[in-house]
Amino acid sequence: MRSWDKGAVVEDARHLAALAKKKAHAHELRGRDLLRARCPRADQMLQALADRGDNLGNHTVKLLALAERYGAAELDAALAETLERGALGPASVAHVLDQRRRQKGAPPPLPLVLPDDPRVREARPPAFPQRLRRPPRGRPGARERLTALGLSHTSDALDDLIAMATKRRWGPTELLEAIAEEETKDRARRSVERRLSRSKLGALRTMADFDWGWPKRIDRPAVESALALDFMARPANVVLVAPQGLGKTMIAQNIAYNAVQAGHSVLFTTASQLLLDLGSQDSARALDRRLKHYCTQAGLLVIDEIGYLSYDARNADLLFQVVSRRYEKKPIVLTTNLPFSEWTTIFPNAACAIALIDRVIHHASIISIEGDSYRRRVAEESRAERKAKKG
């Protein structure tokens, strides 16, 4: 038996812990009762969370915060939908609430935070940053981190993106969707620019400027099929046979341009440039490396102006290697001013000329164009105009 003096303060640690637990439980019950009163379906959610062994106090606080932001009716509907899906927890409820808001086209709710002084009723401005804060010295900022992650477009346009998100009151989901969309567009644009630069295509005139009525004979459906890249899937070759000045190079350039736009790697070259490049290699290893450049790295190879010059047997062998390595693997577009019966004049001393022609025309779409030179017509018209002005 023990006794204490009058007025002595006696503290029992176990007793204080029990009191604190009862007090916390009382606060939790008050919050739970408030939530049940505002949202009848909250009781089912809390019971399911309790059966799972979760801490109900933390979940209750989060659900009450959602009720303050979205309203009790919206929260009750979201709870019903979440329970129906079998998804438990405030995070799932918040996701459903955000989905319902986006379906209605409503702006995201902004939390209203009042100052501590209850006499002041003027709300604080939204916490969304209008301007990027300067990071601590020696620590990378948001732009540097975005650039390091490969999001260079977002880094460059960060201020505009933040201003737009603030103006349109975007939520996190809308902001991430906007970043993903803009990055996708920018990467697609830069990819096309890189492929166009590597193609060595140079300046070209579009098919809108092509005068279909000028040639005496042209298979327009076959040309349009080639421009639509139907031959790429097989793969097959396209051979444009026409005299000088009828637009075969223009058609070949537009085929190459359409292939670049469609996501293919393209290489445009003339026959003389191709053979000069391959013939200048001073070792077998260097030659093999350049052959891979033309034969495996380029999805579409365009060889222009075959037939304007004649080549020796070594050049014929080099061209045969290019055609042979790409045979039935990757397509080639060729332009020539000579019919195949006259290709022996291009490679007069080459034993592989027949085999070369055989591999070119096998699975190939041969498009013949006949008529007078369009460039000659334009030159004659310009000459006639100058004479008319002088006269």
Side-chain angles (χ1 to χ4, degrees):
M1 183 175 180
R2 300 183 63 183
S3 61
W4 288 269
D5 294 336
K6 184 178 180 181
V9 179
V10 180
E11 293 183 356
D12 188 347
R14 291 174 298 174
H15 177 64
L16 291 176
L19 287 177
K21 185 175 181 180
K22 288 181 180 180
K23 185 175 181 180
H25 184 62
H27 281 295
E28 181 180 321
L29 288 176
R30 284 202 300 269
R32 213 177 304 170
D33 291 339
L34 177 61
L35 186 61
R36 287 195 188 100
R38 300 180 68 179
C39 305
R41 290 185 179 85
D43 196 29
Q44 301 177 35
M45 175 65 74
L46 293 174
Q47 184 60 48
L49 292 170
D51 294 341
R52 200 170 67 178
D54 288 8
N55 180 9
L56 297 186
N58 189 27
H59 293 318
T60 301
V61 172
K62 292 181 178 179
L63 290 174
L64 284 172
L66 290 175
E68 291 293 333
R69 293 192 66 184
Y70 291 91
E74 278 295 311
L75 177 60
D76 199 51
L79 284 167
E81 186 174 343
T82 309
L83 288 167
E84 185 178 352
R85 294 181 183 180
L88 302 179
S92 301
V93 178
H95 178 69
V96 172
L97 284 167
D98 189 61
Q99 280 187 330
R100 290 170 59 86
R101 175 191 64 78
R102 293 173 61 193
Q103 290 173 358
K104 296 178 181 179
L110 296 176
L112 188 64
V113 182
L114 295 176
D116 296 334
D117 190 348
R119 293 171 297 179
V120 180
R121 296 302 178 194
E122 185 177 350
R124 291 175 181 171
F128 208 104
Q130 299 290 333
R131 186 177 298 175
L132 288 175
R133 294 181 180 178
R134 182 175 296 177
R137 183 174 296 178
R139 188 174 164 189
R143 285 190 177 84
E144 289 77 9
R145 293 181 181 181
L146 288 169
T147 303
L149 290 171
L151 303 175
S152 56
H153 178 74
T154 304
S155 175
D156 295 338
L158 192 56
D159 289 336
D160 295 337
L161 191 61
I162 291 176
M164 186 179 296
T166 305
K167 181 179 179 180
R168 298 184 181 180
R169 301 181 69 186
W170 282 345
T173 305
E174 287 92 346
L175 181 59
L176 289 175
E177 286 178 351
I179 291 174
E181 182 179 358
E182 292 301 319
E183 280 292 334
T184 302
K185 289 180 181 179
D186 183 69
R187 292 187 181 191
R189 177 186 58 79
R190 286 187 282 119
S191 177
V192 170
E193 290 177 353
R194 282 195 302 269
R195 290 195 304 274
L196 199 59
S197 174
R198 293 170 183 170
S199 70
K200 309 298 181 183
L201 193 55
L204 77 157
R205 296 171 61 192
T206 64
M207 290 303 295
D209 298 329
F210 189 81
D211 187 358
W212 293 96
W214 175 250
K216 294 178 181 179
R217 186 173 73 88
I218 183 172
D219 189 351
R220 183 167 181 172
V223 174
E224 290 177 342
S225 175
L227 290 168
L229 308 178
D230 295 338
F231 67 96
M232 294 283 292
R234 293 195 288 270
N237 298 332
V238 175
V239 183
L240 296 161
V241 184
Q244 186 176 359
L246 280 174
K248 58 184 180 298
T249 298
M250 178 179 178
I251 295 172
Q253 286 178 323
N254 278 270
I255 292 173
Y257 180 78
N258 291 348
V260 169
Q261 295 292 328
H264 300 284
S265 57
V266 176
L267 184 59
F268 186 95
T269 184
T270 63
S272 58
Q273 289 172 341
L274 170 69
L275 296 176
L276 181 64
D277 182 23
L278 294 176
S280 63
Q281 305 305 313
D282 55 1
S283 66
R285 180 177 295 180
L287 176 60
D288 185 65
R289 185 166 55 249
R290 292 309 293 168
L291 283 170
K292 288 180 180 178
H293 172 69
Y294 291 106
C295 300
T296 60
Q297 295 178 10
L300 174 64
L301 177 64
V302 182
I303 306 176
D304 193 24
E305 298 179 352
I306 293 181
Y308 290 92
L309 299 173
S310 60
Y311 302 98
D312 58 17
R314 183 171 186 273
N315 283 320
D317 291 339
L318 292 174
L319 183 59
F320 177 77
Q321 287 193 57
V322 172
V323 173
S324 181
R325 290 193 184 194
R326 296 183 67 91
Y327 177 62
E328 293 187 334
K329 296 177 182 177
K330 294 186 178 182
I332 303 176
V333 174
L334 298 171
T335 71
T336 178
N337 64 324
L338 296 177
F340 292 108
S341 59
E342 299 180 20
W343 271 38
T344 52
T345 62
I346 306 174
F347 310 104
N349 301 317
C352 64
I354 302 301
L356 172 64
I357 295 172
D358 182 65
R359 281 169 172 75
V360 168
I361 64 176
H362 191 216
H363 305 308
S365 174
I366 302 173
I367 304 172
S368 297
I369 308 174
E370 296 178 1
D372 299 325
S373 173
Y374 183 81
R375 287 194 291 268
R376 183 182 301 172
R377 187 193 76 170
V378 173
E380 291 175 354
E381 290 176 352
S382 299
R383 191 181 303 115
E385 289 178 2
R386 288 196 298 271
K387 287 182 179 180
K389 289 179 180 179
K390 290 180 181 178

